[in-house]
Amino acid sequence: MKNEILITTAHLVKKFPIGGHFFTALNDVNLTIRAGEFTGLVGPSGSGKTTLLNIIGALDNPTEGVAVVMGQDTKTLNHKQAARLRSECLGFIFQTYNLLPVYTVFENVEFPLLLLGIASSDRKKSVMKALEWVGLTDKVSSRPSQLSGGECQRVSIARAMVKRPKLVLADEPTANLDAANSHNVLKMMLQLNREMGTTFIFASHDEKVIGYLRRKIGLTDGKVVEDKIISTQNHEESETPC
Amino acid sequence: MIRFLLKGLLRDRNRSIFPVLVISGGVMITVLFYCWIFGVMGDVTQTSAKMDTGHVKIMTQAYADIAGQMPNDLALFGIGEMLSKLRQEYPETDWVARVKFGGLLDFPDEYGETRAQGPVFGIGIDLISPESTERKRLNLEDALVQGRLPQAEGEIVVSEQFAVDLGVNIGETATLISATANGSMAIHNFILVGTVHFGVAALDKGAMLADISDIQYALDMEDGAGEILGYFPNLIFDEKRAYAMADQFNNAYRAVEDEFSPVMLTLKDQSGLGAYLDMVDFYIFIFLFGFIFVMSLVLWNTGLMSGIRRYGEIGVRLAIGESKGHVYSSLIYEAILTGIIGSAVGTALGIGISYYLQEVGLDISGMTQSSTMMMSNVMRARVTLPAFYVGFVPGLLATALGAVISGIGVFRRQTSELFKELET
Ligand SMILES: Nc1ncnc2c1ncn2[C@@H]1O[C@H](COP(=O)(O)OP(=O)(O)OP(=O)(O)O)[C@@H](O)[C@H]1O
Ligand SMILES: [Mg+2]
């Protein structure tokens, strides 16, 4: 299972119409991502990281080429099928957390399970478990506005992980966090990656993130300019006794 | 899931309380306006019908042409026979004869010299016969201020205001100076037995009521009357019936070349009342539509604003795996829910206030002092069945439509664009 291919992109091109012409945000991207990876899309601002994550997450369609995610060509999916793919297989973590402000921590984490139609008692168990992973069991009934940034991001990790998706897409998850919180959150994700085999794809230009990656895909002007496996002898191995 | 969405709705005031307030405000004003206009319009019709036009009225053609001048020289004669014929042919309609006249009412002192004198508008009606329906129709018992109503020949009542202005008291002799049906001077003595307050400015300035037989005698028009009025049951004007009756009557009795032949006119045909009522109808129509239109725009905009404001939330929900159809229908159900609650609250408030205005009324006598229109000094709203839906339906439709239109943005946009809007 470990080497199962989750994502392939072939000759992926994304163009955005700007004024009269088109702006090419992704240019001939060819990638294969396997189950269990902890991979980062790294590159300067505007290099196309978010665009690529959106296409992988079936939130956006490529202009040319194909993206096959868990065996499904995202271009052929209708609204409903794309929603089902996201609901059943994908978790999202955003730079700005994007928690629903009117709901409590518990309810925010519960939401993906509601969409999956999971029974109330099972939901409760799963939510509490996910909040345990991120160490927020004492904040279940707080509102997002009552939490710190780090706590918010931990809630959003719990929300992404609660349904135990195969793949988590994290767009600049540490950009709004201080160093201590960043490391904290990254360690948490690495641990989930190891313990549950969840595949993580990050978009980031944060050095702290890069330090944790096991594969780094460099993007510049929409092109893949670097793709390397980083040795597992990284510092986090010594720091995180599992 | 529904519980989850409801929780969100209740906690987010921008989505619940604010739209409900806007909707209920708009609906309330619509309902209130409708009831008010309906009440006022109904009152004008009712008052005119009672005091002046009847639901249908028979006059000679010549009289009808200049009815405003009360030309009793052009009056109908042989009305006894005509009345019994009408009562036979249209037994459901109540037929009464009236003589309207103008003149001077003179109150002499003990030497027979004029002590006080004023112009009056007079109506001779069936006041004293035991089967009289007019006392009740004109609500005279309640209108009485001083003294009593005429019970015998030779007795009159006048407007309270008129009596006060002239400084006359009940029990005094009043001499009517007017013109007979054949154009000579008429002088007749009455005894003032009471004063009334009609609550209609046009009459309270100076009106006298006498029994019709006294007036026929005084104006030398035995078995004659200026007008025969027909009233439908329960004083409800039925336009169709009135026109049908008038057509039938005119075909049978009217001779175009004979200006003394009778003609029947409906309430709407008389003294511009029809034009007035049509105009009011038209304005109600314009107002309601204008209002509904504006309200729809406001509510649509409210829907739009909260829709746009929520693109971020919607983007996240989509990213987490909710389908666009589900998000869209939840937006619409939400709008329907707030629409129903807002419209119900607005309708309840509108009807509540209208009901109060129906029972208590609004005294506008200050504004009607110089009015010659037959309208009450106390205007009242009237709560009718349509009041329950004239506001409710558009309130609900406008809200739902607002959500339908603003929600289209959810479909039109790429999902990634939706939540880009919340990242910035
Ligand atoms: N909807 C859009 N319309 C037009 N241009 C777009 C759109 N979305 C992205 N772009 C452009 O595509 C390019 C890549 O954008 P993208 O958001 O993928 O960059 P990024 O690598 O995520 O940058 P950052 O690190 O700042 O988040 C940018 O130049 C951006 O201006
Ligand atoms: Mg980005």
Side-chain angles (χ1 to χ4, degrees):
Chain A
M1 277 318 255
K2 197 93 199 183
N3 290 328
E4 178 198 1
I5 292 177
L6 283 191
I7 299 160
T8 22
T9 69
H11 307 296
L12 204 62
V13 175
K14 179 68 187 181
K15 294 178 181 176
F16 290 110
I18 301 176
H21 63 286
F22 284 89
F23 175 82
T24 306
L26 289 178
N27 193 357
D28 195 28
V29 174
N30 298 285
L31 287 172
T32 301
I33 290 170
R34 291 174 186 274
E37 286 193 19
F38 202 74
T39 295
L41 306 172
V42 180
S45 182
S47 56
K49 304 181 294 288
T50 299
T51 307
L52 183 54
L53 279 190
N54 284 344
I55 290 174
I56 292 171
L59 292 171
D60 210 344
N61 273 321
T63 315
E64 288 164 35
V66 285
V68 178
V69 179
M70 321 227 164
Q72 307 189 63
D73 180 350
T74 56
K75 227 176 188 172
T76 65
L77 301 178
N78 61 25
H79 288 321
K80 239 195 175 128
Q81 292 164 325
R84 155 111 44 83
L85 173 70
R86 287 194 292 270
S87 181
E88 290 176 354
C89 309
L90 299 183
F92 281 88
I93 297 169
F94 308 89
Q95 174 180 344
T96 49
Y97 329 129
N98 291 346
L99 300 175
L100 302 176
V102 293
Y103 294 106
T104 62
V105 165
F106 183 92
E107 287 160 349
N108 266 283
V109 177
E110 185 188 21
F111 183 59
L113 301 178
L114 278 167
L115 288 176
L116 288 169
I118 288 167
S120 160
S121 57
D122 293 342
R123 285 204 305 266
K124 192 160 183 201
K125 264 185 246 157
S126 302
V127 171
M128 290 316 289
K129 184 100 200 153
L131 289 173
E132 231 170 76
W133 295 332
V134 297
L136 281 176
T137 42
D138 54 335
K139 301 276 186 188
V140 277
S141 41
S142 302
R143 295 279 183 87
S145 58
Q146 298 163 326
L147 301 179
S148 72
E151 285 168 334
C152 281
Q153 196 59 301
R154 277 148 67 193
V155 174
S156 102
I157 292 171
R159 182 176 64 181
M161 292 301 300
V162 68
K163 59 191 177 190
R164 304 187 180 220
K166 276 191 173 164
L167 175 63
V168 171
L169 303 174
D171 195 355
E172 318 260 11
T174 56
N176 281 348
L177 301 179
D178 62 22
N181 268 311
S182 295
H183 285 294
N184 203 339
V185 157
L186 284 161
K187 274 181 209 161
M188 209 167 272
M189 290 194 274
L190 189 63
Q191 190 180 346
L192 291 167
N193 166 262
R194 288 201 180 139
E195 287 176 5
M196 294 194 260
T198 310
T199 310
F200 279 81
I201 304 178
F202 298 90
S204 185
H205 44 218
D206 182 355
E207 286 302 324
K208 296 188 287 298
V209 174
I210 296 166
Y212 284 80
L213 296 178
R214 286 208 240 97
R215 178 179 174 192
K216 176 181 168 192
I217 297 170
L219 278 180
T220 303
D221 293 338
K223 277 198 173 126
V224 177
V225 293
E226 182 190 8
D227 187 353
K228 74 172 185 204
I229 307 287
I230 300 166
S231 86
T232 47
Q233 321 293 13
N234 251 318
H235 69 283
E236 89 274 8
E237 283 237 290
S238 47
E239 272 183 21
T240 344
C242 310
Chain B
M1 191 75 206
I2 292 170
R3 268 239 315 272
F4 187 81
L5 292 173
L6 273 179
K7 249 189 259 174
L9 180 62
L10 289 179
R11 287 181 199 164
D12 187 350
R13 286 173 183 214
N14 285 311
R15 271 156 72 194
S16 48
I17 294 181
F18 181 63
V20 164
L21 280 181
V22 171
I23 298 161
S24 53
V27 168
M28 183 190 81
I29 292 171
T30 308
V31 171
L32 190 56
F33 177 82
Y34 180 84
C35 291
W36 178 251
I37 289 293
F38 203 82
V40 170
M41 190 182 75
D43 175 83
V44 171
T45 316
Q46 187 95 331
T47 309
S48 294
K50 281 186 196 170
M51 298 294 180
D52 183 20
T53 65
H55 292 144
V56 292
K57 186 197 272 188
I58 301 166
M59 297 160 280
T60 67
Q61 292 191 72
Y63 184 102
D65 286 343
I66 48 170
Q69 300 171 22
M70 302 173 279
N72 283 321
D73 50 330
L74 305 175
L76 289 163
F77 280 88
I79 58 158
E81 194 194 330
M82 188 177 280
L83 279 173
S84 56
K85 231 188 210 164
L86 285 166
R87 282 170 186 149
Q88 217 167 40
E89 249 173 90
Y90 308 104
E92 287 201 336
T93 305
D94 188 16
W95 299 99
V96 293
R98 287 187 189 172
V99 180
K100 285 189 202 158
F101 57 93
L104 271 178
L105 205 56
D106 185 282
F107 292 86
D109 60 16
E110 64 235 60
Y111 311 108
E113 303 287 333
T114 296
R115 182 173 65 82
Q117 187 182 68
V120 282
F121 162 65
I123 317 179
I125 60 174
D126 178 10
L127 265 181
I128 58 182
S129 82
E131 63 272 18
S132 164
T133 53
E134 297 271 65
R135 277 195 302 262
K136 191 163 165 247
R137 180 171 303 118
L138 300 181
N139 203 19
L140 292 177
E141 315 277 355
D142 290 337
L144 194 68
V145 181
Q146 296 183 52
R148 57 171 174 81
L149 293 175
Q151 285 161 357
E153 281 176 19
E155 297 180 342
I156 60 166
V157 289
V158 298
S159 315
E160 164 72 8
Q161 191 56 47
F162 183 70
V164 169
D165 288 349
L166 292 188
V168 297
N169 298 307
I170 44 181
E172 285 192 41
T173 300
T175 308
L176 171 69
I177 304 160
S178 182
T180 67
N182 34 41
S184 50
M185 185 148 141
I187 295 181
H188 195 87
N189 282 339
F190 293 96
I191 295 170
L192 180 63
V193 296
T195 64
V196 288
H197 176 75
F198 294 100
V200 176
L203 294 178
D204 283 323
K205 277 181 288 194
M208 67 171 270
L209 285 181
D211 188 67
I212 186 164
S213 58
D214 281 338
I215 299 302
Q216 284 168 328
Y217 179 72
L219 303 186
D220 200 8
M221 46 194 299
E222 218 62 46
D223 201 28
E227 321 176 335
I228 292 176
L229 306 180
Y231 288 97
F232 297 153
N234 302 322
L235 267 180
I236 294 167
F237 178 62
D238 177 345
E239 190 171 331
K240 259 204 204 133
R241 179 180 186 168
Y243 276 106
M245 191 182 277
D247 282 347
Q248 198 185 17
F249 180 90
N250 293 335
N251 283 336
Y253 297 103
R254 182 184 186 184
V256 179
E257 65 286 352
D258 176 7
E259 61 171 5
F260 285 98
S261 67
V263 59
M264 186 187 282
L265 297 181
T266 70
L267 172 148
K268 285 191 83 174
D269 294 330
Q270 298 173 57
S271 48
L273 202 58
Y276 166 76
L277 292 180
D278 288 344
M279 193 182 73
V280 170
D281 268 349
F282 179 70
Y283 281 127
I284 289 188
F285 181 82
I286 294 284
F287 177 88
L288 279 182
F289 266 74
F291 200 88
I292 287 166
F293 182 71
V294 169
M295 196 166 77
S296 304
L297 281 186
V298 169
L299 293 176
W300 170 33
N301 204 38
T302 316
L304 202 64
M305 301 274 274
S306 59
I308 290 169
R309 206 176 54 80
R310 293 175 64 198
Y311 277 169
E313 175 207 330
I314 290 165
V316 181
R317 279 165 61 177
L318 292 173
I320 290 175
E322 199 170 348
S323 71
K324 283 191 172 185
H326 194 274
V327 170
Y328 189 54
S329 54
S330 81
L331 287 180
I332 289 168
Y333 285 135
E334 203 177 296
I336 290 176
L337 192 67
T338 46
I340 287 177
I341 294 172
S343 300
V345 169
T347 300
L349 284 175
I351 287 180
I353 299 173
S354 299
Y355 186 75
Y356 176 81
L357 286 175
Q358 171 178 305
E359 296 304 307
V360 177
L362 205 65
D363 193 340
I364 55 157
S365 50
M367 286 181 266
T368 54
Q369 274 322 314
S370 59
S371 165
T372 54
M373 204 148 86
M374 293 291 174
M375 66 199 308
S376 304
N377 291 336
V378 178
M379 289 280 127
R380 292 171 193 281
R382 193 142 124 225
V383 178
T384 52
L385 192 62
F388 287 87
Y389 57 80
V390 286
F392 191 92
V393 171
L396 181 55
L397 280 185
T399 328
L401 208 68
V404 167
I405 295 171
S406 53
I408 287 174
V410 172
F411 268 107
R412 275 236 321 268
R413 281 157 197 257
Q414 275 289 347
T415 309
S416 63
E417 277 178 67
L418 279 173
F419 77 148
K420 185 159 275 169
E421 272 167 67
L422 109 172
E423 297 214 319
T424 48

